[in-house]
Amino acid sequence: MHHPDLGKLILRLTLGILMLFHGVAKMTSGVAGIKGMLAGLGLPEFFAYGVFVGEVIAPLMLIIGYYSRVGAALIVGNMLVAIVLVHMNELFALSGSGGWALELQGFFLFTAVALIFTGPGKYVFKQ
């Protein structure tokens, strides 16, 4: 049996829930570290609050299926900024376990890209 909409739901929920856990962890520790990093790069500190859009609001959009492609695009943008500003030195590095050092960021990025192209499926919040 072929259920592409169920597969899309699983992708949406997996990405949304894991990204939301990531965002909640950032909410509990605050954005001071992100502000400091941005200030060190000469960027406005208020951009640090964008992490809440990409790691809290966007995952919730995916979980309920409300403008899922927009939510996925926000996650893609968030991950690209994170990779460029924070993880660029790990781009070609292997982790201690032999995996890609950016496997978590890669999962978030490429799953969100897949959702942009495939769409949310039929299990969505009715708009």
Side-chain angles (χ1 to χ4, degrees), residues 43-104:
L43 297 170
E45 291 182 3
F46 72 86
F47 284 161
Y49 294 99
V51 75
F52 296 132
V53 173
E55 297 184 13
V56 176
I57 294 171
L60 289 172
M61 292 171 71
L62 289 181
I63 291 167
I64 64 172
Y66 184 74
Y67 290 104
S68 294
R69 284 187 165 134
V70 172
L74 290 170
I75 290 173
V76 166
N78 186 71
M79 286 297 99
L80 289 175
V81 168
I83 289 169
V84 168
L85 294 182
V86 180
H87 302 288
M88 194 58 109
N89 61 335
E90 300 171 305
L91 195 57
F92 298 106
L94 295 178
S95 71
S97 63
W100 185 35
L102 297 180
E103 58 195 18
L104 180 64

Side-chain angles (χ1 to χ4, degrees), residues 102-124:
L102 297 180
E103 58 195 18
L104 180 64
Q105 292 81 5
F107 166 77
F108 291 155
L109 174 64
F110 295 116
T111 304
V113 168
L115 285 170
I116 289 171
F117 286 107
T118 63
K122 67 180 179 179
Y123 303 108
V124 297

Side-chain angles (χ1 to χ4, degrees), residues 4-14 62-63 115 120-121 123:
D5 289 319
L6 183 58
K8 292 172 187 180
L9 176 65
I10 292 168
L11 279 178
R12 275 190 11 241
L13 291 177
T14 302
L62 289 181
I63 291 167
L115 285 170
Y123 303 108

